[in-house]
């Protein structure tokens, strides 16, 4: 009976993790939408919403702790819980980056902008959001094959980053009026790139869940623009 | 007997955590030294060294997992182990940021630089390194009073960041030749600022260890430059 209680608790834990992930995905989507549409109000919503994400993380942590203390799981069961605890930190940080993007929206308002770069950032964020949504499904299914595929998507994120970097640097050099917005573009692109790294981390957790081995996926934590 | 075995294992775990922390502190220090001295060779050392930090984290994780599985600790003992697991992720990310600073050193080499900003970055990094060293001692002593004081130091880190931001933006606007190095300055300042955030996270873990309560320290995860 204890065993089935544990299974039910674990299912609840995974559902809560998925829910937290969907909240983060939505925050990322909204923060970039606000960015591209110059929508300060929507940006403020994203910032206010982050408290809910943080609360959910704390609640996940408490539950995990209680499950370990009360049910004293070993091997795979313990690994399942520890992994939720670790991966939920990654989700929380992705949420923090959505907040950073939203703050950038508020700062850049009124500055001279570069439409071409904003289009690229918008495409990049659609792509990153797809990675986030996919990794959540892969997590719930403990699908390590998918996880490995999703980690590979990070290459293209780095390519997006590089393109945005060069476009922005050129524009800042040519037109000093774009220095402030350009700096913000680089930050936003970097936040998105980091979100891609966190997705790769979660992919590694999925592989760990499936195999018990800690495996490094993805080539590096940073795009190479040198 | 089991109890004293646990205590010994926990002491070892804390020592290993401290060791990892000192490695990270040294990586941060060296990466900024390389940055300011334009020392590409030292930067490469920092990058190569990061593998050791990551290995130590994996080893910490394995040990923690085994301690939970084999000794089935509850309440404070369990909390001690979980916290090392969580806080070691923070350390590992601080190490990643040192690597990012080192990579920036390699990229910026040969670009026109701004001595005034580099001086400020150097001061900022000395300050951040002090925070890192202090938080490691506070962790080992589970000193929540110190932890709260260290978290307050983050305010000044944000001030450093803001100063560097404005200096750099002004310079980029006035002289397009500084756009590339200016962008790197902003990144490096941001990495240091994030390291300060991770220190604050670890401070929160110390308070959690001491009180069992998850407490938010520090005002926000980002400097206010708007």
């Amino acid at each position: 009976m204890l065993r089935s209680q544990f299974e039910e608790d674990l299912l609840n834990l995974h559902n809560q993790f998925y829910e937290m992930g969907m909240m983060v995905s939505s925050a990322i989507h909204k923060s970039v939408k606000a960015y591209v549409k110059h929508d300060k109000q929507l940006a403020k919503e994203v910032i206010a919403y982050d408290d809910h994400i943080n609360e959910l993380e704390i609640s996940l942590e408490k539950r995990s702790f209680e499950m370990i203390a009360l049910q004293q799981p070993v091997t795979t069961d313990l690994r399942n819980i520890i992994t939720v605890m670790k991966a939920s930190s990654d989700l929380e940080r992705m949420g923090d980056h959505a907040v950073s993007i939203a703050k950038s929206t508020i700062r850049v308002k009124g500055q001279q902008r570069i439409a071409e770069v904003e289009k690229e950032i918008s495409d990049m964020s659609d792509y990153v959001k797809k990675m986030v949504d996919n990794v959540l499904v892969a997590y719930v299914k403990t699908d390590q094959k998918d996880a490995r595929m999703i980690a590979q998507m990070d290459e293209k994120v780095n390519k997006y980053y590089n393109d945005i970097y060069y476009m922005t640097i050129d524009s800042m050099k040519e037109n000093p009026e774009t220095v402030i917005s350009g700096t913000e573009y680089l930050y936003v692109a970097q936040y998105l790139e980091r979100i891609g790294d966190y997705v790769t981390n979660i992919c590694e957790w999925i592989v760990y869940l499936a195999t018990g081995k800690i495996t490094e996926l993805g080539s590096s934590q940073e795009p190479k623009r040198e």
Side-chain angles (χ1 to χ4, degrees), chain A:
Chain A
M1 235 38 242
L2 196 68
R3 171 73 202 164
S4 100
Q5 178 64 45
F6 181 83
E7 279 171 345
E8 202 179 298
D9 287 353
L10 189 62
L11 189 66
N12 281 334
L13 201 66
H14 276 176
N15 284 342
Q16 214 177 342
F17 178 83
Y18 188 80
E19 193 194 331
M20 183 181 167
M22 291 311 286
M23 284 164 81
V24 169
S25 169
S26 156
I28 296 166
H29 178 69
K30 278 187 189 159
S31 68
V32 178
K33 197 174 152 197
Y35 196 83
V36 173
K37 304 240 177 223
H38 312 187
D39 185 343
K40 219 166 155 166
Q41 200 47 49
L42 186 58
K44 283 184 179 165
E45 274 176 41
V46 172
I47 295 167
Y49 193 65
D50 193 51
D51 280 344
H52 295 294
I53 296 176
N54 292 341
E55 276 163 24
L56 202 51
E57 198 212 354
I58 291 176
S59 142
L60 258 173
E61 228 150 69
K62 271 196 187 151
R63 272 197 194 211
S64 310
F65 189 87
E66 282 164 10
M67 279 176 75
I68 296 175
L70 299 178
Q71 309 196 26
Q72 312 214 312
V74 289
T75 63
T76 313
D77 291 340
L78 179 57
R79 202 194 292 152
N80 262 304
I81 301 175
I82 299 277
T83 308
V84 167
M85 291 181 100
K86 293 285 240 178
S88 66
S89 301
D90 290 326
L91 283 185
E92 193 250 325
R93 271 162 226 222
M94 286 155 76
D96 284 347
H97 284 355
V99 168
S100 297
I101 294 171
K103 285 186 178 165
S104 192
T105 301
I106 294 170
R107 280 195 302 265
V108 87
K109 189 91 181 163
Q111 294 293 330
Q112 186 169 334
R113 310 178 64 143
I114 318 165
E116 184 197 22
V117 177
E118 296 198 348
K119 170 75 176 68
E120 199 73 8
I121 287 177
S122 172
D123 290 349
M124 181 180 185
S125 87
D126 287 344
Y127 189 80
V128 168
K129 188 185 179 294
K130 209 189 292 170
M131 285 175 76
V132 175
D133 293 346
N134 289 355
V135 85
L136 294 172
V137 175
Y139 193 95
V140 171
K141 294 199 284 177
T142 325
D143 187 335
Q144 66 148 320
K145 216 179 125 206
D146 266 13
R148 285 173 194 276
M149 262 165 48
I150 295 163
Q152 301 244 312
M153 290 174 75
D154 202 37
E155 288 266 315
K156 190 162 173 190
V157 173
N158 291 347
K159 195 182 166 309
Y160 270 118
Y161 177 82
N162 283 345
D163 290 349
I164 291 166
Y165 176 81
Y166 288 116
M167 269 179 176
T168 305
I169 291 282
D170 286 349
S171 165
M172 289 198 286
K173 277 185 175 172
E174 272 165 33
N175 180 2
E177 288 303 305
T178 62
V179 158
I180 290 182
S181 55
T183 301
E184 298 295 337
Y185 294 144
L186 292 178
Y187 278 140
V188 171
Q190 202 202 26
Y191 296 136
L192 289 172
E193 190 264 316
R194 292 271 160 180
I195 291 172
D197 290 341
Y198 287 121
V199 170
T200 307
N201 278 355
I202 296 178
C203 292
E204 289 172 0
W205 290 122
I206 295 169
V207 174
Y208 174 67
L209 273 182
T211 65
K213 288 204 186 79
I214 295 173
T215 314
E216 190 118 358
L217 299 178
S219 47
S220 73
Q221 38 119 10
E222 261 202 318
K224 284 164 196 64
R225 61 175 184 271
E226 58 266 342

